[in-house]
Amino acid sequence: MAYVITQRCCNDASCVPECPVDCIRPTPEQREFATTEQLYIDPDTCIDCGACVDACPVDAIFSEDDLTASLARFRDINAAYFERHPLESNFEPLVAPTRAPKELGTLRVAVVGAGPAACYAAEELLRRADVEVELFDRLPTPYGLVRAGVAPDHPGTKSVAGLFESAFRREALAYRLNVEVGKHISHEELLAHHHAVIYAVGAATDRRLGVPGEDLPGSHSATEFVAWYNGHPDFADREFDLSGERAVIVGNGNVALDVARVLTVSPDELAKTDIADHALDALRHSNIQEVVVLGRRGPLQAAYTSSEFLALAHLKGVDVVVDPADLELDHASQALLDDPEIEPSLKLKYTLAQEYAAKTPTPGNKRIVFRYLVSPTALTGDGKVETVEYVHNELFEEDGRTVARASDRTDRLAATLVLRSIGYKGEPVADVPFDESRGVIPNDKGRVLADGNPVPGVYVSGWIKRGPRGVIGSNRVDSQETVDQLIEDFIAGKLAAPQGDRASLEALLAERQPDQVGREGWKAIDTAEKTAGKAGGRPRVKFTKVEDLLKAAKG
């Protein structure tokens, strides 16, 4: 018997060093780690000790005997990885990361943002130095996309917040919530009160389609919709037209699949989650019967992960529809599929698409329809979205890459709701260098750069550092790299001593933002939401307005 890593794997690699026989791959040191969909356990080497289970922050690891029907296939998925990548292990001991010497005194760091990248950076700092960390966020609640981005029907993924809660119990970390950097406190003032500042502000805006009609009512970004159903205060008052029978999602990454599920699964299922009440009520009155997911490239190049694509097969009352004609491959794609060295996860994407294409839809079921090799060219309608016009693409090999180009074939779909899910982009931070073309803060391994030179005391982590790629756990290794640079600079004496301490920062914020939410305020919010959820058998009922959050914070 062996343990198996399943769908909800977050890639934070906490399990890797805990394995006594070193059978979890890929490791952060390997090239494959940057692009892997998940981590895998070698069934032939696993000794069934369960150490990885205890280390996993999102409860993604199960004994193979305990796999449910929806997860059973992951036994073969884990094994297939090691057929492609036979396990080689030298059992080299891990090198402990550098810790700041005690004689250097207390390191003060401001972390701007409270999402996964920020929290992993704060956790790493707490392990590596005698430190005071100030965790800033403009919202009254921490955890960023863990709270407002992860789909409500993926509660296991949200459990990573428990890891942060445990790490942040010490008074060495102070919550500075409902405090907006640039409004209540400036970049210069942060530097004056800290040795260093880490910006971990994510990628806050979505990319646009750039087609006529994109701004018609009924056309939105998936970012807005996700934030709406997750109860983000900035989006709680948004309205989405669910009166029609078809919605179209442009883009086929994991966020697109999240949105498709929320639009099609039974509201009674969603009622068991922490979905916002206003969204649940709207979905109970929804007329949406079909969600069409448009992808620019073919099924082998689809942006979703194979594990999320597989999970769609287990939705109750929902059919996944793929046109067999869409599975015809160009020469380059067929050669890739036939390559014995093909990554198992890539081959699985195509195998799953074939399985969906072979199924006969069940009358009365809702549908998630995948269309490949298409790109929207216009959204049309009389005062609101009524039709999506699109062009069929053809794949070509160019400079060793497979690229999609428009053909002369066009088509259209009737739809009353269109959600674009084609990626995210970072926004500038006041008084901090910014690369407009890439949508990131320019940096070298986390050290912020201005004209190619490091800016003393200023660092970056997460999507604003590397661009919008990777999953929640990807931020762990990323944050470790940033903290490595920060600790190195502290030891080398490159960080200016702060002019103000925690007490003077507290006095400044009390004057600028009397509604600041600290540790006790967040605890009060968390307790109130969980208490409200108990009555309905839900993990929590979220407050979705800032005024309600502040009222709860004050008890």
Side-chain angles (χ1 to χ4, degrees), residues 3-257:
Y3 280 89
V4 177
I5 300 179
T6 65
Q7 173 195 346
R8 64 179 71 151
C9 177
C10 75
N11 288 26
D12 96 335
S14 295
C15 55
V16 173
E18 300 302 318
C19 179
V21 292
D22 192 31
C23 71
I24 302 176
R25 292 292 185 274
T27 66
E29 295 77 23
Q30 293 179 299
R31 179 171 53 86
E32 295 87 356
F33 185 83
T35 56
T36 189
E37 290 189 351
Q38 65 167 82
L39 305 186
Y40 306 88
I41 294 174
D42 181 12
D44 294 332
T45 308
C46 176
I47 60 172
D48 194 28
C49 70
C52 56
V53 178
D54 295 333
C56 180
V58 294
D59 300 327
I61 306 178
F62 297 85
S63 164
E64 62 180 339
D65 288 348
D66 295 331
L67 293 172
T68 62
S70 64
L71 299 178
R73 199 162 182 171
F74 283 92
R75 181 189 296 108
D76 295 333
I77 292 171
N78 277 245
Y81 179 85
F82 291 95
E83 292 174 8
R84 171 70 175 81
H85 300 279
L87 186 66
E88 295 180 4
S89 178
N90 55 15
F91 286 94
E92 291 185 5
L94 294 173
V95 177
T98 302
R99 180 177 172 84
K102 287 183 177 292
E103 55 265 28
L104 291 181
T106 300
L107 170 64
R108 282 189 48 75
V109 182
V111 179
V112 181
C119 290
Y120 275 119
E123 180 202 21
E124 187 71 8
L125 284 164
L126 291 167
R127 292 195 303 112
R128 301 273 297 276
D130 291 332
V131 67
E132 288 181 346
V133 178
E134 315 290 337
L135 191 67
F136 289 84
D137 199 279
R138 69 179 186 86
L139 292 178
T141 55
Y143 308 138
L145 289 180
V146 175
R147 178 180 171 94
V150 174
D153 61 344
H154 278 16
T157 306
K158 294 174 183 281
S159 62
V160 71
L163 179 151
F164 302 138
E165 289 282 3
S166 177
F168 296 167
R169 288 174 183 166
R170 293 164 48 193
E171 295 298 325
L173 182 137
Y175 291 95
R176 306 293 182 185
L177 307 175
N178 203 40
V179 176
E180 186 171 349
V181 173
K183 178 180 178 181
H184 300 118
I185 188 169
S186 68
H187 172 69
E188 290 79 7
E189 288 169 330
L190 286 177
L191 285 174
H193 285 83
H194 304 87
H195 290 90
V197 180
I198 299 176
Y199 285 97
V201 294
T205 60
D206 61 280
R207 297 187 181 276
R208 293 177 61 81
L209 296 172
V211 302
E214 184 172 10
D215 293 319
L216 281 171
S219 170
H220 309 268
S221 71
T223 306
E224 297 172 69
F225 191 72
V226 170
W228 171 75
Y229 66 60
N230 272 316
H232 191 297
D234 291 351
F235 298 89
D237 293 331
R238 297 292 172 92
E239 294 184 0
F240 297 88
D241 186 358
L242 306 179
S243 63
E245 293 192 355
R246 179 185 291 128
V248 170
I249 304 172
V250 181
N252 60 10
N254 283 350
V255 172
L257 269 57

Side-chain angles (χ1 to χ4, degrees), residues 265-287:
V265 300
S266 167
D268 290 339
E269 291 295 316
L270 292 174
K272 303 171 186 176
T273 73
D274 67 353
I275 190 171
D277 283 348
H278 60 252
L280 182 60
D281 183 63
L283 290 166
R284 287 194 184 279
H285 295 88
S286 170
N287 291 324

